[in-house]
Amino acid sequence: MKSSESMASALSPELMNAARRCVELARKKGADEAEAYVENGRNLDVTAREGAVETVKQSESMGLGLRVFQGRKLGFGSTSDLRADRLEPFVERVLALAKVTAQDENNRLPAADDLRGGYATQDTFDPEVAKLPMDWFVARSIEVEKIAMAYDKRIKTMNSAGAGRYIASWGVVGSSGAEASAASTYVWIVASPYAEDENGAGQTGWAYDTRCHLGEMMSVDAIGREAGKRTVDMLGAQKIPSGNMPVVFHPEMTKGFMQGLIGALNGDLVFKKSSFLHDRLGQGIASPLVTIAEEPNRPRGTSSTPFDGEGVPTRNKTLVDKGTLTTFLYDTYTASKAGAKSTGNAARSYGSLPSIGTFNLRWTPGETKAADLFAGIERGLFVTRMMGRGVNVVTGDYSRGAQGFLIEKGAITTPVQEITVAAHMNDMMRAIDAVGDDLDTRGGTWAPSIRFGELTVSGK
């Protein structure tokens, strides 16, 4: 399968030619199947402190990863030396690796059927982002620091304030017919202030935005002011007694909760019965208010990709539909083991083998106004920040340190900290009794606020 002309132009012809050449050489020298994955990334990161530039970091990475199968034995290697006379020795080294590895009947490239359907256009590359001069990032870094510091006199310093850009292009060529390339731009601004109350007790907060297209970015003023407000609002935070109570997650916390849940859909873990959801396909696992989708074809999505790390066309798909688990996620290898088909979820870099990943997640917003999520709560918790690992996808146990605000008589009141929210994921998913309409579209994972009817909160 060939990519479209516009997509093919996204990656340098030299890289794609190197990929084609490596696959051709590998096949001539005895590989049953061969696949080359190439990528090029350019990063710029500027930070400011006290009105001046603190750091400027620029980096570029470029390389090729070659995967060969010979008698169902796998050889893999990567290189950043793409000079024409270095490719043949590189291919020979990778083939030699395949001779010493164990045979595995599941070692294979995507079948022709898996490559059908064409690649979607996603508009993830903005030339305006690519052309931004260094001065643009310096000015935004200094400006967002100034705005955050000016929000309240109790803000004493900044943990960080900065802006940056990443320009990425990637492509894959496989002997089974895959050939595609794509590119994306990302621009971001972030601020994280530190504030102290009259007793010297400190709090940190943060705000950010990241987009593919410059014209969709939040203003620097909005980011700086949000960071300042989040920080100052937490001053005077207290511990609270343990108890069971309604809990509302801020959209940023819903994102983390969703990512933990989706980790349990990993087809490899499911096959090994190492996911707490391994036997729940087609069953209700959550409140009917819960619908979660993966959107790799989201226009201008920061994690969008028209194909996965093996060249399989990606498709938007529902993962949880009104509470019912509808699919697990597979790359070619794990799909072969499980007797399933690849779902186009192979994620990788040029230096790594494919593994199961996701590309843009979306929790469908509800019809409840965000402010109404607190209505009727006599005493509850609004969680705005969490710490710790979160979900154990093997057991389904969830436990995270948290901070946020008490909800009393339907309103946000006292800031709270040093508390823990813990439960089993099965119970948490069923306890969701409202979903807000406040979808947060920053980054690749989109989510609204959600409310749990009752959770256990551990405090003092």
Side-chain angles (χ1 to χ4, degrees):
M1 173 179 292
K2 298 281 185 180
S3 61
S4 69
E5 183 177 351
S6 60
M7 288 165 53
S9 65
L11 194 66
S12 74
E14 291 79 10
L15 273 175
M16 288 301 283
N17 287 338
R20 295 185 190 103
R21 180 62 176 155
C22 285
V23 170
E24 179 185 4
L25 285 169
R27 291 283 285 137
K28 283 183 177 178
K29 291 177 178 293
D32 300 323
E33 295 180 294
E35 171 202 77
Y37 186 87
V38 289
E39 62 181 348
N40 181 203
R42 287 176 286 159
N43 185 70
L44 171 63
D45 196 350
V46 178
T47 64
R49 185 168 297 279
E50 298 180 355
V53 174
E54 180 184 38
T55 62
V56 177
K57 299 177 184 176
Q58 278 188 304
S59 61
E60 180 167 2
S61 63
M62 181 174 65
L64 180 151
L66 178 65
R67 188 166 60 140
V68 301
F69 299 121
Q70 196 166 22
R72 299 297 184 196
K73 294 181 177 181
L74 167 66
F76 174 77
S78 64
T79 181
S80 57
D81 187 349
L82 303 180
R83 289 174 291 180
D85 62 342
R86 305 302 173 90
L87 295 182
E88 186 165 348
F90 166 66
V91 171
E92 290 172 345
R93 290 196 297 273
V94 176
L95 284 166
L97 293 176
K99 296 182 186 302
V100 298
T101 60
Q103 184 176 357
D104 186 334
E105 290 303 314
N106 298 303
N107 281 331
R108 64 190 66 196
L109 295 182
D113 283 350
D114 294 326
L115 302 175
R116 297 185 192 282
Y119 299 119
T121 299
Q122 299 164 338
D123 191 23
T124 53
F125 188 91
D126 182 4
E128 296 303 313
V129 172
K131 291 188 297 187
L132 288 172
M134 176 78 75
D135 288 350
W136 188 94
F137 299 96
V138 169
R140 270 61 184 180
S141 299
I142 293 173
E143 186 179 3
V144 78
E145 180 196 42
K146 180 181 177 181
I147 293 167
M149 289 290 296
Y151 182 79
D152 191 290
K153 63 182 180 182
R154 290 171 292 178
I155 294 177
K156 304 301 183 183
T157 188
M158 298 292 290
N159 289 325
S160 64
R165 169 184 64 198
Y166 190 68
I167 303 171
S169 55
W170 62 100
V172 63
V173 176
S175 61
S176 60
E179 181 167 333
S181 64
S184 185
T185 51
Y186 313 88
V187 58
W188 66 86
I189 298 173
V190 62
S192 176
Y194 171 81
E196 287 182 356
D197 63 17
E198 63 275 13
N199 299 315
Q203 293 288 345
T204 60
W206 52 272
Y208 75 100
D209 195 18
T210 180
R211 306 283 175 174
C212 291
H213 281 248
L214 185 63
E216 297 179 352
M217 283 287 290
M218 292 172 59
S219 70
V220 176
D221 184 73
I223 297 169
R225 289 182 61 80
E226 181 180 349
K229 184 177 188 308
R230 283 188 175 187
T231 305
V232 171
D233 284 353
M234 283 304 300
L235 289 174
Q238 304 173 9
K239 296 181 181 179
I240 59 172
S242 301
N244 294 336
M245 62 187 74
V247 174
V248 177
F249 273 10
H250 183 279
E252 288 288 351
M253 304 305 102
T254 307
K255 292 179 182 182
F257 179 72
M258 174 167 53
Q259 289 165 341
L261 172 71
I262 299 308
L265 307 190
N266 182 305
D268 190 43
L269 296 178
V270 169
F271 179 76
K272 296 173 181 173
K273 298 184 179 179
S274 295
S275 163
F276 74 98
L277 294 175
H278 73 90
D279 57 352
R280 302 294 301 279
L281 186 64
Q283 299 179 25
I285 64 166
S287 158
L289 297 173
V290 178
T291 294
I292 297 173
E294 187 203 23
E295 298 181 332
N297 294 156
R298 177 189 298 162
R300 300 187 175 186
T302 56
S303 297
S304 294
T305 180
F307 55 90
D308 75 353
E310 299 176 305
V312 175
T314 53
R315 297 287 179 265
N316 294 347
K317 49 187 171 289
T318 301
L319 308 178
V320 178
D321 186 14
K322 297 178 182 177
T324 298
L325 176 61
T326 57
T327 187
F328 294 127
L329 304 174
Y330 296 101
D331 57 13
T332 298
Y333 178 78
T334 55
S336 178
K337 283 200 305 184
K341 290 181 67 65
S342 170
T343 53
N345 284 96
R348 67 187 299 185
S349 69
Y350 79 86
S352 67
L353 287 165
S355 61
I356 297 169
T358 56
F359 312 103
N360 295 322
L361 296 173
R362 185 179 192 270
W363 187 307
T364 300
E367 298 179 353
T368 305
K369 297 293 183 185
D372 293 342
L373 292 173
F374 308 128
I377 296 179
E378 188 65 23
R379 189 172 189 276
L381 178 66
F382 178 38
V383 178
T384 59
R385 189 171 183 178
M386 304 191 88
M387 293 72 72
R389 186 168 176 270
V391 181
N392 182 327
V393 297
V394 178
T395 64
D397 292 325
Y398 180 95
S399 179
R400 296 193 74 183
Q403 65 180 39
F405 300 87
L406 268 181
I407 306 167
E408 296 175 293
K409 300 185 185 305
I412 292 174
T413 58
T414 309
V416 297
Q417 62 182 1
E418 297 183 46
I419 51 181
T420 301
V421 175
H424 194 278
M425 286 293 287
N426 287 337
D427 297 330
M428 293 183 76
M429 294 296 289
R430 284 193 291 265
I432 295 169
D433 65 1
V435 177
D437 65 351
D438 53 340
L439 187 69
D440 185 334
T441 62
R442 288 175 282 193
T445 298
W446 292 1
S449 300
I450 57 175
R451 185 179 68 197
F452 301 89
E454 182 177 281
L455 294 179
T456 299
V457 175
S458 299
K460 61 184 180 182

